[in-house]
Amino acid sequence: MKVKMLCRDPNDYVRETKKDIFKMPRNYDSSLHPLEVPREYSRALNSTKLERVFAKPFLDSLDGHKDGVHALCKHPTQLSVLLSGACDGEIKIWNLADRRCLQTYIAHDGFVRGICMNSSATMFLSCGNDKIIKHWNYEPWTKVKNPDAIQTIVGKTFYTSIDHHFRKPVYATSGERVDVWDINHLEPIKSYSWGVDSHYSVKFSPVEHNILASSAADRSIILYDIRQSVPMRKVVLAMSSNQICWNPLEAMIFTVANEDHNLYTFDMRKLESPLQVHKDHVGAVMSLDYSPTGKEFVSASYDKTIRIFEAKNGHSREVYHTKRMQHVMAIKWSLDNKYIISGSDEMNIRLWKAQAAEKLGLMKPREREQLEYGEKLKDKFKYFPQIKTIKRHRHLPRPVYNAIKENRIIKASKQRKEANRRAHSKPGAVPYVSEKKKAIVDEQE
C-alpha cells in the first residue's frame, strides 16, 4: 500500500525576520499565466518612462581656471584625481570626490597642449605652445605654491600633444614631427616624419605598448612602431583628424575624431576602409575617450555637446548639453566606468554620469533586483515601436536641432542627385560607393 504524504518546507513560506516581506508561492507554468507577456510589456514601458524621468546626468562643475580647458589627464591608479591644463598655461590637480583643487602649477606661456602621467604615477609631463616640455613631481599634498618643474626641455618647434608609454620610461610628442623621448634624456631618441609639416595628436596603444599613432596636417593617420626607425603605414582621409584613441581591450582597434563631424573606427590591419562610421555631431569632433570596458566611447564636439557611442553602433545612445557649456575641447571617461569628465571653452570642468538615469550610492537588494529586472524587460521589448521611441527621444539645443534638420535635407538632395545621374548615365558610369569608403582618399605603406 502506497501512502502519499504532503511535505511543506518552512523555508519556502516563513519570513526570516519580522521586517522581511511575505514569501508568495508561485507556479511558473506558462499555461497558468496567459497574460504574462502583456503584463511584462506594461512593466517594460513604465520602466522606460521612469528611466527618462530620472535621467539627470550632470553632477557638478569645477571652477577655478581663468581660461578655456583644453587638456585633461586621468590618474592611472587613483579614481578621484584629475589633472587639467588651460589656455593661460595653468595646470591644476583636482580631487573629484571633494570637488576641490589640490595644487596649481604655472606651467607654460600660452596654451597647455598636452598632459600625461607616467605609469607609476610619480611624475607628470606637460607641453605647450612655448616650445617647452616640462617634467613635474606629482606631489599634490605639498603646501608649496607654484612648485617648479624638475626638468625643462626647450624644443626647436612647438608641441601639440604628449603621451607616455604604458610600461617603459618613454614618452612621445607631436609637432612638426613625431619625437620619441627617454625620460632621462634631453634629446629625442627617435624622430619620425612622412612628408607633412605638423601633427595634431599622438597616442600610444594600451595593449600593444610599442605601437604609436598620430594624426597629421595632411589629413592622414600614421602608425609607428617605436622599435623601428621609419613609420609603418599611413591612411589619408577626406578631412583632418583632431585626436586618436585606442580601444583598451582590442589591440588593433582605434578611433579618430574628425573635422567632418564624424568619428571613424579603424582596424590597423585593414586601413582601406573603416570598421564603423559614427555620426550625429553637427560640429567638428575635438576629443574622445574609450570606456575601460572598450564597449563604448565618449566624444566632445565644437557643437557644444557630448555624445556617448557604442563602439559597434553608428549612432549615439546619449547626448549631454547645458545652457552655459561652450565648445567642448577635452573629454575623459573615468577608470571605474561610472563618470565622464569634460573641459570646455568657458573655463569649467564638468562631471557627468556615464549612465544618465543610474542611481548613485548604496541600494537595498530588493531595489537592485527591481532595477535589473526592469533592464531585462527593456532589453526584451526594445524593438517595440512605443518603447523604442521613448528610449531614443532626446531634447536638443535649438542650433543643434536645426543643424540636424538641415543636414538631412542636404543628404537627401545629394542622394537624389546621385540617383538621377545614375539613371541618366551608362550602366557602371556612376558607381555605388559605400559610406565607409567615401572618407578614405589613399592608403600608403
Side-chain angles (χ1 to χ4, degrees), residues 194-233:
W194 194 339
V196 292
D197 55 354
S198 63
H199 298 258
Y200 296 142
S201 69
V202 66
K203 197 74 175 175
F204 276 105
S205 171
V207 184
E208 292 290 340
H209 304 294
N210 293 313
I211 302 298
L212 188 67
S214 75
S215 60
D218 66 344
R219 314 187 311 274
S220 64
I221 307 294
I222 307 175
L223 298 175
Y224 313 86
D225 189 330
I226 62 172
R227 295 165 293 189
Q228 298 178 0
S229 58
V230 292
M232 291 194 301
R233 302 180 72 186

Side-chain angles (χ1 to χ4, degrees), residues 240-286:
S240 60
S241 301
N242 291 314
Q243 202 175 60
I244 297 173
C245 191
W246 292 86
N247 191 311
L249 294 185
E250 298 185 51
M252 305 297 176
I253 308 300
F254 65 92
T255 303
V256 297
N258 203 270
E259 283 282 336
D260 65 357
H261 311 174
N262 299 332
L263 299 106
Y264 299 93
T265 297
F266 286 93
D267 187 326
M268 64 177 288
R269 299 163 295 187
K270 189 180 177 184
L271 292 177
E272 63 266 17
S273 174
L275 296 177
Q276 187 62 264
V277 181
H278 308 275
K279 299 185 173 184
D280 273 346
H281 280 296
V282 294
V285 188
M286 307 305 297

Side-chain angles (χ1 to χ4, degrees), residues 11 63 82 154 158 170 182 195 198 234 324 409 419:
N11 292 327
D63 304 327
L82 177 78
V154 180
F158 68 94
V170 170
D182 189 291
S198 63
K234 175 179 180 178
R324 294 185 180 183
I409 295 170

Side-chain angles (χ1 to χ4, degrees), residues 218-219 235-239 272 437-443:
D218 66 344
R219 314 187 311 274
V235 58
V236 181
L237 305 184
M239 295 188 73
E272 63 266 17
K437 291 191 176 181
K438 283 181 182 177
I440 306 299
V441 175
D442 187 22
E443 184 192 3

Side-chain angles (χ1 to χ4, degrees), residues 10 13-23:
Y13 59 89
V14 177
R15 294 184 296 172
E16 293 180 2
T17 64
K18 289 183 179 180
K19 294 183 179 180
D20 202 358
I21 59 173
F22 286 95
K23 295 183 179 181

Side-chain angles (χ1 to χ4, degrees), residues 41 43 91 96 134 142 191 228 249 278 296 341 443:
Y41 175 77
R43 288 174 180 170
I91 294 175
L96 298 178
K134 289 189 178 182
T142 58
S191 294
Q228 298 178 0
L249 294 185
H278 308 275
E296 293 180 318
I341 306 107
E443 184 192 3

Side-chain angles (χ1 to χ4, degrees), residues 2 49 108 181 188 207 273 277 332 341 350 372 376 419:
K2 291 183 179 180
K49 291 177 180 178
H108 296 275
W181 306 71
V207 184
S273 174
V277 181
K332 291 293 177 186
I341 306 107
R350 288 181 172 82
E372 290 172 357
K376 287 292 183 183

